[in-house]
Amino acid sequence: MPIAPSWCFARTGMSRAFVAGTGVSASGRTVCTVPELPEVETVRRGLAAILLGKRIEAVTRLWPPTFEVHQARIDELIVGARLDDVRRRGKVLLLDLDNGQHLVVHPKMTGQVVVVRGGTTVLAGGHPSPSMLAPMPNPTTRVVLTLSEDMTLFFNDQRKFGWIRLVDTRALVSEEFLSRLGPEPFGAAFTARWLGHQLARHRGASVKAVVLNQSTVAGVGNIYADESLHRAGIDPRRRAGTLTAPETARLHRAVRAVLRAAVEHGGTSFVDYGNDFRGRTTYLAGGRVFHRQGRACQSCDTPIQRIEVAGRGTNFCPHCQR
DNA sequence: CACTTGACCTGTCCGC
DNA sequence: TGCGGACAGGTCAAGT
C-alpha cells in the first residue's frame, strides 16, 4: 500500500461507547489490552501535539535489540534531527525526521510510549500497564530519546517484542513490514469488495484469521476482530469462503464502526498527566464480547463463550453470531 | 500454495 | 507461602 497522508484520519461523530485500556472489565477483573489501531492512533495524536519541532539530542538504547542501529549511524542520522510529523500505519507509529529519515515504532503487545518534560510525565500511551506510571527509566525501558526543550521520550516494552527501525523516505514503501500491510480501515482502499477478495483468497481459513491478517486491513488485533465479528453477527469459526455478499458488507461496516468508536474513546488507554491524573490510568472495557466470557450477550442474553480460533482466545455470542 | 502452529518474551494468575 | 505451569497476544518462521 502506498504511504499517504490519509493515515491521519479525521475525527468522526460516532459515539457508541467502547473503551479500550487497562482497568476493570465488566466482569470486575483488571485487564490490560494490547495496542491496536485505536490505541496507537491515540498515542499518535498525543505525540503530534507535543513533539513537533523538537530536536533529538541523544538516543540511548537500554536494550539494544529493540533498536538495532549502530551508534555511529544514530549519531549521523538521528541525533540533531528535528521531528516534523507523527503518523500511523496500522499498529505502527512513524516519527518523521526533517532529514528524510523515519523512526518506525512497533509496540507489539506491551510497548508503551512515555514523554517526560522537566521531570513531569506529560504523556503516556500504548500498552497501559503500571510500568508507564513508574519513574523513568524503569526496568521495562528499552530506548530513550533525549529531546530539546527538556523533553524525553521513553519506549518501554515489558516483553521485548516491540521494535524500532530507521528507514529513509525512499525505502519506506518497500520496508519489510510496512510493504506487507493492507489498506487502512478508514481509507478509500478498504472496501467491501476488497474484503470480499481477501475472504475469497483465503477461503479455507477462518473468517477471524482473515480479519486478523494485516494484509486484509491494517490495525485490527484480537480484541477488535472479536468485536467486529460480533457486531456483524458472524461466527468467527466460519470458513472465509462461506460468507455471503451481505455478510461481507456487514463485516466491512462493522470493522470500521468498531474501530471508529474505539478511536473516539481512545483517550482511555492514554494518560494525560497534565490534567486530572490521580495516580492511575483510566479504564473500562466497554466491548460487547471482550473479556465478557460467561456474561450475558447484550443483544440476546446468551452467555458469551470463549473458545480458540486462529490460535487466539476468541469471545463470541453463539446465538447472535452464525 | 494455502493454512496452521510454534517461538519469541515476561508478568500474572491459578492450582497444588 | 512457594512453586510450576498455563496464559496473554502480534508477527514471522517453520511445519503440515
Side-chain angles (χ1 to χ4, degrees):
Chain A
M1 294 301 297
I3 311 289
S6 61
W7 292 3
C8 307
F9 50 86
R11 295 182 65 80
T12 69
M14 294 292 294
S15 62
R16 175 171 166 273
F18 188 99
V19 172
T22 284
V24 181
S25 73
S27 60
R29 287 190 42 178
T30 297
V31 295
C32 280
T33 62
V34 151
E36 298 182 34
L37 182 149
E39 289 71 34
V40 176
E41 172 61 18
T42 302
V43 172
R44 184 200 71 74
R45 293 177 180 184
L47 291 176
I50 61 176
L51 288 191
L52 301 191
K54 306 295 183 287
R55 286 192 182 277
I56 297 174
E57 297 181 343
V59 178
T60 308
R61 292 168 299 152
L62 300 178
W63 181 257
T66 295
F67 187 28
E68 289 194 279
V69 176
H70 290 302
Q71 194 61 47
R73 198 166 163 74
I74 287 175
D75 293 338
E76 177 193 355
L77 297 174
I78 304 177
V79 172
R82 190 184 66 212
L83 284 162
D84 266 359
D85 203 357
V86 184
R87 294 184 292 164
R88 178 192 57 73
R89 178 80 168 96
K91 303 169 188 173
V92 305
L93 280 174
L94 287 100
L95 306 184
D96 298 333
L97 307 183
D98 69 345
N99 59 358
Q101 300 290 326
H102 309 262
L103 292 171
V104 185
V105 182
H106 197 323
K108 286 285 186 86
M109 293 181 295
T110 56
Q112 55 190 208
V113 175
V114 178
V115 178
V116 173
R117 175 166 46 205
T120 301
T121 299
V122 293
L123 180 155
H127 176 64
S129 73
S131 60
M132 69 164 54
L133 307 177
M136 302 291 146
N138 61 51
T140 72
T141 304
R142 309 301 173 201
V143 175
V144 183
L145 300 186
T146 304
L147 307 174
S148 58
E149 298 175 48
D150 205 20
M151 297 185 82
T152 311
L153 184 153
F154 299 87
F155 179 72
N156 302 333
D157 181 21
Q158 180 178 98
R159 290 166 74 175
K160 301 177 178 174
F161 284 172
W163 47 255
I164 301 177
R165 293 175 187 167
L166 182 64
V167 185
D168 66 40
T169 302
R170 200 165 50 85
L172 207 52
V173 283
S174 58
E175 196 279 328
E176 181 186 345
F177 177 82
L178 294 173
S179 65
R180 284 200 292 261
L181 292 178
E184 283 291 315
F186 301 109
F190 180 57
T191 59
R193 172 181 290 241
W194 165 266
L195 178 58
H197 285 321
Q198 300 313 302
L199 291 168
R201 191 157 80 87
H202 304 286
R203 60 182 67 84
S206 64
V207 59
K208 174 162 177 176
V210 177
V211 172
L212 282 173
N213 189 330
Q214 297 300 290
S215 69
T216 300
V217 55
V220 178
N222 197 44
I223 293 166
Y224 296 114
D226 280 1
E227 293 296 331
S228 299
L229 287 162
H230 180 266
R231 189 181 182 103
I234 295 169
D235 188 316
R237 298 166 294 191
R238 289 268 300 278
R239 297 300 102 185
T242 69
L243 265 64
T244 63
E247 287 174 329
T248 301
R250 247 157 55 207
L251 181 56
H252 172 257
R253 284 196 302 271
V255 167
R256 283 189 160 175
V258 164
L259 291 176
R260 186 168 290 137
V263 169
E264 283 293 306
H265 294 81
T268 49
S269 67
F270 163 79
V271 186
D272 180 356
Y273 292 76
N275 295 320
D276 58 348
F277 174 62
R278 288 188 290 273
R280 52 187 292 260
T281 46
T282 34
Y283 327 153
L284 211 50
R288 299 294 181 92
V289 290
F290 170 60
H291 227 275
R292 296 193 76 251
Q293 178 184 13
R295 295 177 58 84
C297 172
Q298 291 168 28
S299 301
C300 73
D301 276 355
T302 302
I304 299 299
Q305 279 188 22
R306 183 181 172 88
I307 59 176
E308 182 175 311
V309 180
R312 294 284 162 247
T314 299
N315 296 281
F316 78 113
C317 172
H319 180 261
C320 293
Q321 296 177 251
R322 301 291 183 165

